[in-house]
Amino acid sequence: MVTLTFETERKTQLLDITASVREAIARETGSVAVVFIPHTTAGIVLQASGATATGVAPDVEGALERLVDETWDWQHRDEGDRNPWAHVRAALTASSVAIPLEDGDAALGDFQTIFLCEFDGPRRRRVLVSVV
Amino acid sequence: MVTLTFETERKTQLLDITASVREAIARETGSVAVVFIPHTTAGIVLQASGATATGVAPDVEGALERLVDETWDWQHRDEGDRNPWAHVRAALTASSVAIPLEDGDAALGDFQTIFLCEFDGPRRRRVLVSVV
Amino acid sequence: MVTLTFETERKTQLLDITASVREAIARETGSVAVVFIPHTTAGIVLQASGATATGVAPDVEGALERLVDETWDWQHRDEGDRNPWAHVRAALTASSVAIPLEDGDAALGDFQTIFLCEFDGPRRRRVLVSVV
């Protein structure tokens, strides 16, 4: 298992972690990589990036903020820094993704990018990569 | 593979199953645990619990009920007990989560809790745990 | 790893791929099957089908179209064929599902069906199946 660390910079942010995950995978041997996030206000999503996918990451950020509205009547807000919407947004993404390996590398699609989804940043976040 | 059984008590309920899953993992050997739910109106979510996370589980329950509205125009309602919204709410969570193991135990974050998400309770539910 | 290919027929479509995935699993040996989709406008969901679940797949299709509204103010639409809503709908489903095996077959629940979720069809789609 490899532990990766990232610093997010915004409250809601899809951060491309593909290169770091691929480096972690290259250190291990097996046929499937598990990418896992040990946090409850952040998630993992595979989505598009690159020249032909401009705007996709901001659109996913904006859509999750819009879907889970901060003005709803929340219970988890009895202290100043509570963030119930961040937990729900994270619950709508994934805590883990399992990616098959081909020739020792993640068999991602052409535009597929591994994103850490921050919903309560900026923060330091960990991601665990385990190859089986 | 270990099969766990749980009884849910409410229509919509996040039920903490962490202790049972950890016991199941302790019986097996490997580097990743797969937690799988063989139902289509229930899911698995890793979210926060504990003294500093009061209200998170009820907020996730309330948000999923709010997001997927029972008054929408549904097709799957031709018999009395049909529950299309429960299927959609489950589809927005996960059927499986893969968790890396460290020293034989799930490498969960400090506040991370494994929840069975019931959307059509009360019912008896099964959860499968497989370590690879 | 087995690569399966499917042709979707509609813009938004839950396509039952259970039989093909089970055939792929039967060719491999192990205890967990990973079903992975290398696309960013399509996903994988386990949901109900069959005589007692009529309408579930159309209801999931309709709910995801309704939840993620095409009239929102999107960034990813500077060319004619951009489809930001398809990316967000896919992000709300899953890129991978890990299914425990029992006697070499997927330990699915009675009504549980493996669906490829198309959100930008019709298209040719690939699904990777890896058994570990």
Side-chain angles (χ1 to χ4, degrees):
Chain A
M1 188 176 79
V2 176
T3 301
L4 304 173
T5 306
F6 303 94
E7 305 281 345
T8 60
E9 294 174 348
R10 291 182 282 115
K11 178 185 173 189
T12 303
Q13 180 184 8
L14 262 66
L15 180 68
D16 181 352
I17 62 170
T18 313
S20 300
V21 172
R22 286 195 134 135
E23 278 173 36
I25 290 170
R27 289 190 244 163
E28 315 263 311
T29 308
S31 57
V32 167
V34 169
V35 182
F36 177 82
I37 190 154
H39 302 286
T40 60
T41 53
I44 300 288
V45 153
L46 304 193
Q47 261 304 324
S49 74
T52 61
T54 313
V56 169
D59 278 337
V60 173
E61 296 167 3
L64 279 158
E65 289 194 332
R66 184 162 184 153
L67 275 170
V68 181
D69 197 308
E70 301 185 10
T71 68
W72 288 351
D73 184 31
W74 300 97
Q75 297 194 25
H76 177 58
R77 63 187 316 167
D78 30 74
E79 289 179 20
D81 63 346
R82 296 304 167 88
N83 42 17
W85 42 82
H87 290 279
V88 176
R89 289 167 186 161
L92 294 178
T93 66
S95 295
S96 72
V97 178
I99 309 171
L101 305 186
E102 197 162 30
D103 301 327
D105 189 23
L108 296 172
D110 287 346
F111 307 108
Q112 218 170 16
T113 301
I114 307 170
F115 286 105
L116 185 165
C117 304
E118 174 64 81
F119 296 111
D120 192 36
R123 279 178 186 265
R124 174 169 295 184
R125 298 295 196 177
R126 289 183 301 128
V127 170
L128 311 182
V129 180
S130 197
V131 174
V132 291
Chain B
M1 187 177 78
V2 176
T3 301
L4 304 172
T5 307
F6 302 96
E7 305 280 347
T8 61
E9 295 173 347
R10 291 182 282 115
K11 179 186 173 189
T12 303
Q13 180 184 9
L14 262 66
L15 179 70
D16 180 351
I17 62 171
T18 313
S20 301
V21 171
R22 285 195 136 135
E23 278 173 36
I25 290 170
R27 288 191 244 162
E28 315 263 312
T29 308
S31 57
V32 167
V34 169
V35 183
F36 177 82
I37 190 155
H39 302 286
T40 59
T41 53
I44 300 287
V45 154
L46 304 193
Q47 261 303 323
S49 73
T52 60
T54 314
V56 169
D59 277 338
V60 174
E61 295 167 4
L64 279 158
E65 289 194 333
R66 183 161 186 153
L67 274 170
V68 182
D69 197 308
E70 301 184 11
T71 68
W72 288 351
D73 184 31
W74 300 98
Q75 297 194 26
H76 177 57
R77 62 186 318 167
D78 31 75
E79 289 179 22
D81 63 345
R82 296 305 168 87
N83 42 19
W85 41 82
H87 290 279
V88 176
R89 289 167 187 162
L92 293 179
T93 66
S95 295
S96 73
V97 177
I99 310 171
L101 305 185
E102 198 162 31
D103 301 327
D105 189 23
L108 296 171
D110 288 346
F111 307 108
Q112 217 169 16
T113 302
I114 307 170
F115 286 105
L116 185 165
C117 305
E118 173 64 79
F119 296 110
D120 192 36
R123 279 177 186 266
R124 174 168 294 182
R125 297 296 197 177
R126 290 183 300 128
V127 170
L128 312 182
V129 180
S130 197
V131 174
V132 290
Chain C
M1 189 177 79
V2 176
T3 301
L4 304 172
T5 306
F6 302 96
E7 304 280 344
T8 61
E9 294 174 348
R10 291 182 283 115
K11 179 185 173 189
T12 303
Q13 179 185 11
L14 262 65
L15 180 69
D16 180 353
I17 62 170
T18 313
S20 301
V21 172
R22 286 194 136 135
E23 278 172 37
I25 290 170
R27 289 190 243 164
E28 315 263 311
T29 307
S31 57
V32 167
V34 169
V35 183
F36 177 83
I37 190 155
H39 301 286
T40 59
T41 53
I44 299 288
V45 154
L46 304 194
Q47 261 304 324
S49 73
T52 62
T54 312
V56 169
D59 278 337
V60 173
E61 295 167 3
L64 279 159
E65 289 194 333
R66 185 162 184 151
L67 275 170
V68 182
D69 197 307
E70 301 185 10
T71 68
W72 288 352
D73 184 32
W74 301 98
Q75 297 194 26
H76 177 58
R77 64 187 317 167
D78 30 76
E79 289 180 23
D81 63 345
R82 296 304 166 87
N83 42 17
W85 40 83
H87 290 279
V88 177
R89 289 167 186 162
L92 294 178
T93 67
S95 295
S96 72
V97 178
I99 309 171
L101 305 186
E102 199 163 28
D103 301 328
D105 189 23
L108 296 172
D110 287 346
F111 306 108
Q112 218 169 17
T113 301
I114 307 169
F115 286 105
L116 186 166
C117 305
E118 173 64 78
F119 296 110
D120 192 36
R123 277 178 187 266
R124 174 168 294 183
R125 298 296 195 176
R126 287 183 303 128
V127 170
L128 312 181
V129 179
S130 197
V131 174
V132 290

